[in-house]
Amino acid sequence: MGVRLHLPAVTSTFLPLTVGILILLPDILHGKLGVEGKNGDSAILQRVKRGWVWNQFFVLEEYTGLEPLYIGKLHSDMDKGDGSIKYILTGEGAGTTFTIDDSTGDIHAIQRLDREVKAQYILRAQARNRLTDRPLEPESEFIVKIQDINDNEPKFLDGPYQASVPEMSKIGTSVIQLTATDADDPTYGNSARVVYSILEGQPYFSVDAKTGVVRVSLADMDRETRENYTVVIQAKDMGGQLGGLAGTTTVNITLSDVNDNPPVFDLRLYQMSVLETAPVGSAVGRIWAKDRDIGVNAEMKYSIIDGDGRDTFDISTEPTNLFGIITVKKPLDFESKPSYTLKVEGVNINLDPAFSHRGPFKDVTIVHVSVEDVDEPPLFGSTAYYVEVPEDAEIGTVVKMVSARDPDAANNTVRYSIERSSDPEKFFYIELTTGSLMTVRSLDREESSWHNITILAMEMSNPSQISSVSVAVKVLDVNDNPPSLTHYLETYVCENAKAGQLIQTVTAVDPDEPLGGQRFYYSLAPEAANNPNFTLRDNQDNTAWILTRRGGWSQHDQTIFYLPIFVSDGEQPVQTSTSILTIRVCSCDHEGNVMSCNAEAYSLPASLSKGALIAILACIFVLLVMILLMLSLRTHRKKPYLCDEEENVHENIVRYDDEGGGEEDTEAFDIAAMWNPREVHHPLSKMRQDMLPEIESLSRYVPQAAVVGGGGDSNVHGYVLAKLLEADMDPCAPPYDSLQTYAYEGEGSVAESLSSLHSGTSNTDHEYDYLNDWGPRFKKLAEMYGVLETNSPPMW
């Protein structure tokens, strides 16, 4: 018994292969088959002969037929053709990609096979008894391989490509290597054999047919002429034969720069100008040696190699290393030199020895710099001045002669002045034209030892051009102050003091500061030279001792002594002074400490205790509170309101003619407005006597619609009509009248007072010529004062 697996005759080409892979296994396995008898007796086990034929199956991919593709046939030797055998197929793709007829064992492919997706399938076959489902043969494994056809074109997976190659490269220089991938089987036929060719980019570039290396095929390609190239490369399988599939890609090739071009200045002569006041380091202009190269190959270094301005100007390269910046190296002066000439060289920094034959990579140009004149302020002969003046210098002493000139060619006249803020107390004066600085006040070193004066110089033709200089004036010391005693002008002597006892050490001070230091001489004043009570000893160290000449002091005899002390200094002219030292007689203990003195107390008497002082202060505080309270009461006194009400009660009569109205019945006009209707509005400013007065009327203060029909001579009448009209037009007014009675006697004249009560304060006659300008109403008054102009036409 055996199993045969038959290959399908797919094509006549593969028929011999299908026949060759059928192998008969002649091994006969002897044994006993366990057959269970009807009576339950055990069957005798015996070895049986089994035959199994298997091999690999090859199937072409991409089958496009309408019927399932027949793969092969599974057959067992035990199959008698009665349908008792059941064939089972398991493994990769069983049931989905491959199916088997369980009765005949025919295997078919039910899906399209693609070798590039899966190249082979491993399947297992088994024959079973259809009734008992017992395996008749051991399970066997076989392989179905998918055979390749040329169904995939070559592809450039990384395209399009970017590449660069230096300009001026030699022929054959490698640019880039391209690789095309073909998904077909490289081990079977020519489906994956790729050949490269160039479709676009000749004659500049070429490609190696086997390796795909793109190379330069044209010599001396210049980046400055053309920089970018587009090359199209084709990859074709089947060794490039007809019928092969092809794929293309694009290579963008850029020529990289090399330093093959020397620099050239765009101008052979540069014209520049700069103000003479330009500070050192300021830029004058820019030059450029143009280079057709780019990047580091175009970087330049500039230098001034010759010219009369090589020490006055400098040149540097800007950060891009392309342009040269000419700057001022030294201060300029139009009057000294109005122009300069520079010879400038520009050299490439990064040179390529391979292109040194193209000439020197440098160039030279000429730069002409003109210095422009500027109206400069006056220039002092020195940046600052220092002067020493004795403090006893007479007023008008010339301290210093300052001089300034106009540095411009015009040499304008210069005028001098002192800036007031530098000499607020006006100790100095400068002569306008000569620049002589002199004193106008006495100097005092002890008051101010230094004076910092700022002198201004101004051009007469252009006052905006001003310069300044500082003059430091040191006031020298002169012995003009007498010495005087310091600190102690009062001392004491104890009652128990003995003769020759030291009671005080005195010192002196002098505002002057002699160069050799202070030296004071002390003595008693001539009137006290024979003083019987005290004596003075000069210690020769700028101090002196006051000593007693006797003992037996008593407060009852004398409490105060006045001792005149004479002091002189050692400088010329010698200055002297006399100071009075007050000496009090005090009672002291045995150690010399003061216990009491009968002199005027400098503190509160001992009998006045702190408690008494606090009581006095408290009394003063209470007195102040009472005074403030009385002032506050007087301030808050108010005038009774009854007076005003009593005065006006007869002028405000309210009559009621109906039953209703409530509180609105008392609504009345404001009587205060009837006293003077004009005060309701802003008062007019007082008229000048020499101006034409204005004859005012009520119509100026009351709306014209309110006074229509009213008498022009009665202001009260017009005012009442206005108020009545206002009440009639008020929709919120009560439906009844409110009778008001006003006692109004008129208002003052617009001509104001004509009284002469105050005329006695002046002895001069008044002029009344302005009465002629007041119109006909004042004509009579003008005639009385004799100033009427009969020929002038009336104004009214």
Side-chain angles (χ1 to χ4, degrees), residues 106 119 128 175 222 289 385 390 417 429 535 544 591 607 681 747-748:
D106 293 333
R128 289 178 177 270
V175 179
D222 191 0
Y385 296 92
S417 63
Y429 167 78
T535 186
E591 295 181 357
S607 58
H681 307 276
E747 58 184 347

Side-chain angles (χ1 to χ4, degrees), residues 273-330:
S273 63
V274 60
L275 297 176
E276 62 175 331
T277 55
V280 174
S282 59
V284 177
R286 186 177 73 170
I287 62 175
W288 183 21
K290 292 183 178 180
D291 194 330
R292 297 180 63 193
D293 300 320
I294 60 175
V296 296
N297 297 318
E299 292 183 355
M300 303 294 298
K301 180 181 179 182
Y302 298 91
S303 59
I304 300 175
I305 59 176
D306 200 1
D308 57 359
R310 61 187 306 176
D311 296 330
T312 308
F313 298 92
D314 198 1
I315 189 169
S316 60
T317 306
E318 67 168 8
T320 60
N321 292 327
L322 297 179
F323 301 94
I325 307 299
I326 298 178
T327 56
V328 178
K329 187 177 180 180
K330 291 182 179 180

